Amino acid sequence: MNIIFKKDTWQEIYYSLKNNKLRTFLTMIGVGWGMFLYVVLLGSAKGMENGFDKLFSGFATNSIFLWAQNTSIPYEGFPKGRGMDLKLQDIDMLQRKISEIEYISPKNSRGNFGTAGEQMSRNGKTATYSLNGDYPIGNKISEKKLIYGRYLNDADVSQNKNVAVIGEEVYKNFFDSKKNENPIGKSINVKGIFFNVIGVFRVKRGGGMDNDQTVFIPLSTFTKIYNDGDNVDVFAIVSKPNADVNDVEDRVKDELKKKNKVSPEDTNAFGSFNLGKEFKKLTGFLTGMQLLTIIVGTLTILAGVIAISNILLITVKERTKEIGIRRALGAKPSEVRNQILLESVVITLSSGLLGFIFGIFVLMIFNTLTQNQDDFPFYNPTVNYGNVFSAMSVMVILGLIIGMIPAQRAVKIRPIEALRSD
C-alpha cells in the first residue's frame, strides 16, 4: 500500500493521536496491559519451572521410595500384623521380573524414619548425626555436591571399608572450616570405630531429600556394625525414562506380596512414596499456569483492541467533515479505509510494544530479587520470543479486523452529507 510510504499519512496519524492524547493513552492502556500481563505471567511461569528444575537438579524425579510395614489382612494361615522385611536379594528378583526398572538403591539409616541418630566424635567434640549406609548408585538418585574428595565407590562396599562421606555441618563441627582444613584422610569416631573421611558434601537449601548433618558409609559396613544381615530399610527404585512410574510402583508391591505370601488386597504391607507421580502433578500445574496465562493475556489484549475500535468510531464521527472534504477533493474510498486501518494498527502495535518492554523490565526485577534465593523455587524468568511474536501478530490481525468497523463507517460517509454536518 503506497499510503504507508506517504509522509502526509504519518503526519495525519500523529496529529490525530496528539489531539486526543488522554483518550488515546487510556485506550492504549488496555492493549498494553494485556501484553504486560502476558509477558509477566508467562515469564513467571517459566521462572517457576526453571526454579523447580534447579531445585530437583541432580535428583531422579522418576523414583519411588519403598519400605516394609505390617500386614493388615490375614492370608494363607498367617495372621494380620505380621512384620515385613526388605532383603538385598529382593533387588535382583525385582530387576529380573520388572524390566521397566532402571536401578534400585538400598539404604539403611539411623536418625531417619523415626529412629535415633548416632553419636560421633573427634578430638573431644561429640555430636549426634544421621548415619546412612548406602551404595554408590545412591548418589545417582540424590546427587551430592562434593566440596572435598569423592563419594562411595564399589570397592568401598565390596571390601567393607571404614570410610565416610560427611555433610558440611558435620565438617564444620569436627574440623577447622575457617582455615579450610582439608579433612580427607582424617578420621571421625562412630560407635567406637574410626572412619576415614573420603568426602564432604553440601546440600542446597530446600533441595533433595538429604541434609548436611548426615554421614554416609558403605551399606556393607553399616550392616556389620548393626548386625542387620541382609535386611534393608528403604529401596529407592528408579524407573526407565519412558516407563509408567505408577505401574512400576504397583508391580513392585505385587511381586513383594507374592514372595512374602501377603494378600493382594493388603495395602499396608509395604509403604511407598512415589516422587515421579508427585513431580508429574507439579509439572502439570506449571503447564496449566502457562495455559491460563495465554488465555488471560489473549482475552485482555482482545478487550483492549475492541476498545481501540470504539475510540476510532468516535474519532471517525468527529472527523466527519474532514473525511468529507478529502472525499470531495478526490480521495478514494480505499485511501480513507486504509488510513483508519493504519491508525488502528499503529495504536495496537505501539501499545503491545510498550506492554512488552515494561513486562521484560518487571521480569528483570524479579530475577534480580530472586537471584540467590535457593529456598524459593524461582529462577531465570524468561519469555519465549516466538510466543511474543505470535501474540504481536494476533494483536495486529485483531487490530485490522476490528479496525474494519470504523474504517467501513468512514468509507460510507458521503461528501455532501459530511460537509452539511454540524
Side-chain angles (χ1 to χ4, degrees):
M1 292 188 299
N2 293 330
I3 189 172
I4 297 176
F5 304 102
K6 290 182 178 179
K7 183 179 178 181
D8 293 344
T9 301
W10 295 103
Q11 285 180 338
E12 187 171 341
I13 291 174
Y14 171 75
Y15 286 115
S16 175
L17 299 180
K18 182 181 178 182
N19 293 334
N20 299 281
K21 293 178 184 177
L22 180 61
R23 191 164 61 200
T24 302
F25 173 74
L26 293 175
T27 305
M28 291 176 69
I29 285 178
V31 177
W33 178 249
M35 179 55 71
F36 174 82
L37 278 181
Y38 182 83
V39 170
V40 171
L41 292 178
L42 200 61
S44 298
K46 186 63 178 177
M48 287 185 67
E49 182 181 335
N50 292 338
F52 280 109
D53 285 343
K54 183 182 178 184
L55 199 62
F56 286 96
S57 63
F59 200 89
T61 53
N62 57 332
S63 53
I64 304 156
F65 298 88
L66 184 133
W67 57 90
Q69 299 182 153
N70 297 319
T71 59
S72 59
I73 300 174
Y75 189 70
E76 291 190 1
F78 292 101
K80 71 175 184 178
R82 183 163 51 105
M84 295 289 100
D85 293 306
L86 295 177
K87 305 285 186 181
L88 284 173
Q89 307 92 280
D90 294 335
I91 296 175
D92 290 334
M93 181 270 291
L94 291 171
Q95 288 184 315
R96 187 175 65 255
K97 292 192 173 184
I98 305 173
S99 60
E100 288 82 5
I101 291 177
E102 185 77 31
Y103 52 84
I104 300 176
S105 174
K107 180 182 288 186
N108 284 5
S109 66
R110 295 293 185 276
N112 294 318
F113 311 110
T115 60
E118 191 57 69
Q119 194 173 73
M120 307 177 191
S121 62
R122 183 177 188 270
N123 293 344
K125 290 184 178 180
T126 302
T128 300
Y129 295 111
S130 297
L131 180 67
N132 290 341
D134 200 10
Y135 271 14
I137 203 168
N139 200 39
K140 287 186 177 181
I141 294 173
S142 180
E143 187 177 356
K144 288 83 180 169
K145 182 180 179 181
L146 293 166
I147 54 179
Y148 287 104
R150 64 173 176 84
Y151 197 65
L152 304 170
N153 61 27
D154 292 331
D156 298 329
V157 176
S158 62
Q159 298 173 27
N160 301 333
K161 289 185 179 181
N162 292 345
V163 293
V165 181
I166 64 176
E168 188 176 22
E169 287 302 314
V170 182
Y171 162 71
K172 288 179 179 178
N173 186 29
F174 289 150
F175 298 90
D176 192 350
S177 60
K178 292 182 180 178
K179 293 183 179 179
N180 296 319
E181 180 182 0
N182 190 338
I184 305 304
K186 297 175 183 177
S187 61
I188 61 172
N189 189 304
V190 182
K191 280 183 71 68
I193 303 170
F194 286 96
F195 283 79
N196 286 327
V197 176
I198 59 171
V200 179
F201 69 91
R202 174 182 295 152
V203 174
K204 56 190 175 185
R205 290 179 295 170
M209 299 187 75
D210 298 313
N211 62 68
D212 49 17
Q213 296 184 8
T214 304
V215 173
F216 288 89
I217 65 175
L219 180 62
S220 55
T221 307
F222 187 102
T223 54
K224 283 184 65 177
I225 293 174
Y226 292 99
N227 196 28
D228 285 340
D230 59 355
N231 289 330
V232 178
D233 291 339
V234 176
F235 281 162
I237 304 169
V238 177
S239 63
K240 290 182 178 177
N242 296 324
D244 184 335
V245 184
N246 296 332
D247 181 59
V248 171
E249 179 185 17
D250 293 338
R251 290 175 64 187
V252 165
K253 288 183 178 180
D254 289 342
E255 292 298 338
L256 290 172
K257 287 175 186 178
K258 288 178 188 176
K259 181 204 170 216
N260 291 278
K261 291 183 170 55
V262 175
S263 169
E265 310 301 321
D266 196 329
T267 58
N268 193 67
F270 296 96
S272 62
F273 173 72
N274 192 326
L275 181 64
K277 181 168 68 176
E278 299 304 318
F279 194 74
K280 278 187 177 180
K281 288 180 184 177
L282 175 62
T283 53
F285 167 74
L286 294 175
T287 302
M289 264 193 67
Q290 291 181 341
L291 180 60
L292 180 63
T293 295
I294 292 172
I295 293 172
V296 170
T298 302
L299 291 177
T300 310
I301 290 170
L302 179 59
V305 173
I306 291 172
I308 289 175
S309 174
N310 291 332
I311 290 300
L312 288 176
L313 281 171
I314 296 171
T315 302
V316 168
K317 186 175 181 180
E318 291 178 346
R319 294 165 61 189
T320 300
K321 277 191 176 181
E322 175 194 330
I323 293 171
I325 293 171
R326 290 183 60 190
R327 291 292 306 280
L329 293 175
K332 297 178 181 177
S334 59
E335 291 178 351
V336 176
R337 181 190 302 110
N338 292 340
Q339 176 76 31
I340 302 299
L341 288 176
L342 194 56
E343 284 188 29
S344 176
V345 170
V346 167
I347 297 174
T348 304
L349 198 55
S350 301
S351 306
L353 287 172
L354 287 173
F356 170 74
I357 292 169
F358 280 111
I360 293 296
F361 180 69
V362 168
L363 289 180
M364 289 171 64
I365 294 174
F366 285 171
N367 187 46
T368 302
L369 294 175
T370 58
Q371 195 82 48
N372 300 311
Q373 301 293 324
D374 291 337
D375 53 346
F376 183 68
F378 193 88
Y379 174 72
N380 191 26
T382 55
V383 178
N384 185 315
Y385 289 107
N387 290 340
V388 174
F389 178 77
S390 298
M392 287 284 193
S393 300
V394 170
M395 283 173 52
V396 172
I397 292 170
L398 287 174
L400 283 170
I401 293 172
I402 297 178
M404 283 297 294
I405 298 171
Q408 283 299 113
R409 180 167 180 173
V411 167
K412 289 179 180 178
I413 296 175
R414 295 180 179 180
I416 296 175
E417 292 178 0
L419 293 172
R420 286 189 309 191
S421 65
D422 294 328

